[in-house]
Amino acid sequence: KQEVTQIPAALSVPEGENLVLNCSFTDSAIYNLQWFRQDPGKGLTSLLLIQSSQREQTSGRLNASLDKSSGRSTLYIAASQPGDSATYLCAVYSGYSTLTFGKGTMLLVSP
Amino acid sequence: EPEVTQTPSHQVTQMGQEVILRCVPISNHLYFYWYRQILGQKVEFLVSFYNNEISEKSEIFDDQFSVERPDGSNFTLKIRSTKLEDSAMYFCATRGGGNTGELFFGEGSRLTVL
């Protein structure tokens, strides 16, 4: 059974810092990996989807990498802003489109 | 940009009552899913649905739950007799036929069982 772990569980940084969120998964036989953002009490906003044949994806200040062999992904956020404060969820596609989620990293960026 | 729409956004119900949560998928999507998130916990897979039948379900999706696509547009999740532990955010997700397999999520329906 696939297990997804995210470290750290919570992170507090001052505005402007670059930061890295980590995600690990136990079964490397995944299709894709997706990073989401979730604001308190709200839905899931897709940030980046990395297909199994890719090693990274970039969108603006976000860069996500995938190393299937080691069962790891990282989400890099450059020049963090207070508006980046949210919970970031990593999810892996174990079946073709059935997702297994991590518990998330709660990020607080202070002005 | 096309969106997955869920109603209601929040429902409060008494234990033992039936609840129906509704989802309007992106128009050309054919694969539908329900996930749930109990407060403070992980988002968990409940069920996937394709071609008017369940294609996969988790151990959470017991006989109290059912899904259907009654009119070709809405996709519904029914909880027959709600329990306190059914209180959660329920997310609908849909997928098109493209080869990325990416799921698109709705904003969620928050269910509170008293």
Side-chain angles (χ1 to χ4, degrees):
Chain A
K1 181 185 172 185
Q2 180 73 269
E3 296 287 341
V4 178
T5 302
Q6 292 187 245
I7 295 173
L11 183 62
S12 182
V13 299
E15 181 177 8
E17 274 205 8
N18 302 324
L19 53 99
V20 175
L21 308 182
N22 296 291
C23 170
S24 61
F25 44 95
T26 53
D27 184 351
S28 61
I30 66 170
Y31 286 92
N32 302 323
L33 183 143
Q34 195 163 358
W35 283 92
F36 294 87
R37 169 186 172 137
Q38 185 176 32
D39 292 287
K42 300 295 185 182
L44 306 175
T45 301
S46 178
L47 297 174
L48 291 164
L49 172 76
I50 309 176
Q51 297 183 51
S52 60
S53 58
Q54 299 173 324
R55 292 191 63 85
E56 66 177 327
Q57 279 284 346
T58 297
S59 176
R61 293 180 295 107
L62 305 180
N63 175 275
S65 67
L66 173 63
D67 184 344
K68 282 180 60 177
S69 60
S70 68
R72 294 182 182 182
S73 176
T74 61
L75 178 67
Y76 175 82
I77 303 176
S80 58
Q81 303 170 357
D84 294 332
S85 298
T87 295
Y88 290 80
L89 302 177
C90 169
V92 301
Y93 288 74
S94 300
Y96 183 53
S97 54
T98 302
L99 284 169
T100 302
F101 284 81
K103 201 168 181 183
T105 293
M106 187 183 303
L107 174 64
L108 176 63
V109 182
S110 52
Chain B
E1 184 177 308
E3 290 183 344
V4 178
T5 306
Q6 289 187 241
T7 56
S9 57
H10 188 195
Q11 181 158 355
V12 181
T13 191
Q14 295 292 325
M15 191 169 54
Q17 295 296 305
E18 176 182 283
V19 163
I20 298 176
L21 306 179
R22 292 183 169 80
C23 170
V24 178
I26 296 171
S27 62
N28 60 344
H29 283 191
L30 301 176
Y31 300 83
F32 313 112
Y33 308 82
W34 285 101
Y35 286 77
R36 80 169 185 189
Q37 185 181 33
I38 295 171
L39 187 64
Q41 298 189 22
K42 295 183 179 184
V43 178
E44 303 171 290
F45 168 73
L46 291 178
V47 65
S48 60
F49 187 87
Y50 170 71
N51 201 24
N52 286 320
E53 61 182 28
I54 291 173
S55 47
E56 188 177 354
K57 61 182 181 179
S58 72
E59 57 196 24
I60 301 168
F61 194 87
D62 61 21
D63 292 343
Q64 295 281 40
F65 293 92
S66 62
V67 290
E68 64 176 357
R69 199 167 182 223
D71 57 9
S73 59
N74 289 310
F75 175 52
T76 63
L77 173 69
K78 181 191 291 185
I79 309 175
R80 251 179 283 283
S81 178
T82 50
K83 304 186 285 284
L84 295 177
E85 54 265 38
D86 294 327
S87 295
M89 182 78 96
Y90 289 82
F91 293 107
C92 172
T94 72
R95 172 171 81 83
N99 59 6
T100 66
E102 183 176 4
L103 298 190
F104 294 84
F105 283 80
E107 284 291 304
S109 293
R110 179 169 299 283
L111 175 64
T112 302
V113 182
L114 302 177

